[in-house]
């Protein structure tokens, strides 16, 4: 039996869902309080500018594209004067499917359903982050990790009718399933994550990496049995399930566009999105140094990237489980090395929650009397920034 399966077997003796919810309650209540503060700040700021906070959350940028998919299906596109073609085939289908389902069975509109899905998914994501952090560290670190995820400067995206919260929830629970030896559940959730965002590749890679290591360890120990019965069957089934979501959608897009298996890349190219190894991002950073105010922004960007690299190195030094390292590493690389518009990169990094575990460990070591003011102060700052950001450029 592998290390993951041994820990998984031990966890199966833990309290059921109600007991697990009670353990996560402090994290979820803290998360809800931070998000409520952010929404209050957004409402007040928007009202002062004669804008609708609800419209900012549900009917701008990508949220409009998702609702169009839910309402009209795929095939809508916008041709720009530059010749670029923005096709809604770039948007993965799980969120629009949920919006369509919600609008069909409730009085809610597609946009309303997208907002509700985001709110519920953000709570599920917070619970999943807590579960993973508690499993790897302890309960206090789990609470701190959730609070840190909540107070990220672009945390307001977690409450928007976007797919970040839904994806993070599926990714976190898939990773938790891997860590506890529930291979079929991990594969199924990875498949759903792959139907949510292109970065679902990172979840699939995490499942596969863990499974390969588990097979190797089982062979070295003279067996290949799962904790649940048939030798290796559950692991193999989890591996087979994991890529089905993303692969299925990408292949369908290729068939629909008539451009074969790589047709989705052409769709992304119409949005000027692609993977260039970070060349576009490097040019963007370099361009900031052409003026004095821009130079300060450029220095800030370099420091931000260096901080991400340092956090990942600390994750490795703290011996995070391989699935978390693979997942966080790929999410970070795909976010930073894509040629997409820079303004979208902060929200693309939201799902990389394992990077928050090192500061969560540090925060957990402080007494509550010292950590609480820190978290509250950062929460207020994040709420104000989120309101300012969403009333301005916002997340494209």
């Amino acid at each position: 039996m592998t290390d993951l399966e041994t820990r998984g077997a031990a966890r199966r003796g833990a309290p059921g869902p109600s007991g697990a919810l009670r353990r996560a309650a402090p994290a979820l209540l803290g998360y809800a309080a931070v998000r409520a503060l952010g929404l209050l700040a957004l409402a007040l700021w928007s009202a002062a500018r004669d804008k609708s906070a609800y419209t900012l959350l549900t009917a701008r940028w990508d949220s409009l594209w998702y609702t169009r998919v839910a309402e009209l299906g795929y095939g809508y596109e916008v041709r720009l004067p530059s010749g670029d073609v923005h096709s809604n085939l770039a948007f993965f289908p799980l969120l629009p499917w949920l919006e369509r389902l919600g609008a069909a069975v409730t009085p809610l509109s597609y946009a309303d359903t997208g907002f509700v899905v985001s709110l519920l998914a953000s709570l599920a994501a917070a619970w999943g982050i807590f579960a993973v952090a508690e499993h790897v560290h302890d309960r206090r670190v789990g609470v701190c990790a959730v609070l840190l995820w909540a107070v990220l400067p672009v945390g307001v995206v977690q409450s928007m009718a976007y797919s970040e919260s839904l994806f993070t929830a599926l990714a976190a629970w898939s990773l938790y399933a891997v860590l506890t030896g529930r291979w079929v559940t991990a594969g199924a959730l990875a498949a759903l994550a792959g139907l949510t965002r292109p970065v679902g590749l990172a979840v699939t890679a995490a499942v596969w990496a863990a499974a390969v290591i588990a097979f190797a360890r089982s062979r070295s120990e003279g067996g290949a049995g799962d904790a649940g019965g048939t030798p290796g069957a559950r692991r193999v089934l989890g591996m087979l399930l994991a890529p089905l979501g993303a692969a299925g959608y990408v292949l369908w897009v290729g068939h629909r566009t008539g451009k074969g298996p790589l047709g989705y890349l052409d769709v992304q190219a119409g949005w000027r999105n692609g993977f260039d190894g970070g060349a576009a991002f490097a040019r963007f950073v370099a361009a900031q140094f052409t003026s004095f105010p821009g130079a300060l922004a450029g220095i800030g960007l370099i420091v931000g990237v260096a901080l991400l690299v340092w956090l990942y190195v600390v994750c490795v030094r703290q011996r995070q489980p391989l699935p978390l390292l693979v997942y966080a590493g790929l999410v970070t690389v795909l976010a930073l090395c894509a040629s997409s518009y820079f303004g979208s990169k902060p929200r693309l990094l939201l799902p990389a929650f394992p990077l928050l575990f090192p500061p969560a460990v540090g925060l957990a070591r402080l007494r509550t009397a010292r950590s609480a003011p820190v978290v509250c102060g950062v929460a207020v700052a994040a709420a104000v920034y989120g309101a300012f950001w969403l009333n301005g450029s916002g997340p494209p």
Side-chain angles (χ1 to χ4, degrees):
M1 187 179 291
T2 68
D3 291 345
L4 288 180
E5 289 163 346
T6 300
R7 280 187 275 179
R11 288 290 180 180
R12 291 187 188 104
S18 60
L21 180 58
R22 283 194 297 271
R23 290 187 62 79
L28 297 181
L29 290 173
Y31 177 79
V34 172
R35 291 276 27 92
L37 177 64
L39 293 177
L40 175 61
L42 176 63
L44 294 175
W45 194 297
S46 301
R49 294 173 59 87
D50 293 323
K51 291 184 178 181
S52 167
Y54 189 70
T55 298
L56 294 176
L57 292 168
T58 62
R60 292 184 71 184
W61 303 293
D62 288 8
S63 56
L64 286 175
W65 287 89
Y66 283 121
T67 55
R68 287 194 187 105
V69 173
E71 182 179 7
L72 305 173
Y74 285 105
Y76 177 83
E77 62 183 28
V78 175
R79 295 184 176 272
L80 304 182
S82 63
D84 293 337
V85 178
H86 289 183
S87 168
N88 65 0
L89 289 169
F91 296 87
F92 277 49
L94 186 57
L95 178 57
W97 286 349
L98 293 175
E99 289 179 341
R100 182 177 296 180
L101 175 62
V105 300
T106 70
L108 299 177
S109 67
Y110 298 113
D112 295 337
T113 303
F115 180 64
V116 171
V117 168
S118 182
L119 290 182
L120 295 177
S122 68
L123 288 171
W127 192 358
I129 292 170
F130 170 83
V132 173
E134 183 192 32
H135 182 89
V136 174
H137 295 285
D138 57 41
R139 187 185 186 192
R140 188 173 176 85
V141 173
V143 173
C144 291
V146 169
L147 292 177
L148 289 176
W149 192 64
V151 302
L152 289 174
V154 295
V156 68
V157 174
Q158 298 162 14
S159 300
M160 297 180 68
Y162 270 43
S163 61
E164 272 73 18
S165 289
L166 179 60
F167 174 79
T168 304
L170 294 167
W173 284 108
S174 178
L175 291 170
Y176 180 73
V178 167
L179 295 176
T180 54
R182 297 173 172 89
W183 296 102
V184 177
T185 300
L189 291 173
L192 291 174
L195 283 171
T196 307
R197 298 189 61 80
V199 75
L201 166 68
V203 189
T204 297
V207 173
W208 275 61
V212 169
I213 294 299
F215 274 120
R217 286 178 177 171
S218 293
R219 288 180 62 85
S220 67
E221 293 168 4
D226 274 350
T230 307
R234 293 180 180 275
R235 245 181 274 147
V236 171
L237 182 55
M239 292 179 71
L240 293 176
L241 287 173
L244 292 183
Y249 181 68
V250 168
L251 291 175
W252 178 80
V253 170
H255 174 74
R256 182 182 176 98
T257 59
K259 296 182 179 181
L262 300 182
Y264 182 77
L265 298 181
D266 290 335
V267 171
Q268 285 282 29
W271 286 81
R272 293 184 181 260
N273 287 339
F275 187 87
D276 63 0
F281 183 40
R283 289 194 297 269
F284 176 84
V285 173
Q288 304 307 305
F289 289 91
T290 58
S291 64
F292 174 70
L296 295 179
I299 293 173
L301 291 173
I302 293 173
V303 171
V305 173
L307 176 60
L308 289 173
V309 174
W310 176 75
L311 285 174
Y312 188 79
V313 170
V314 175
C315 290
V316 174
R317 288 179 176 175
Q318 290 182 348
R319 301 179 65 85
Q320 279 191 13
L322 179 65
L324 301 188
L325 295 175
V326 170
Y327 168 77
L330 281 177
V331 170
T332 303
V333 167
L334 290 173
L336 295 181
C337 295
S339 59
S340 57
Y341 175 59
F342 167 75
S344 64
K345 293 188 183 298
R347 71 175 176 89
L348 296 180
L349 288 165
L350 272 178
F353 65 87
L355 296 180
L356 298 175
F357 289 1
V361 170
L363 187 63
R365 290 172 179 165
L366 299 177
R367 294 181 180 273
T368 303
R370 295 184 62 186
S371 61
V374 172
V375 173
C376 290
V378 176
V380 171
V384 172
Y385 177 78
F388 165 77
W389 185 52
L390 206 53
N391 274 277
S393 61

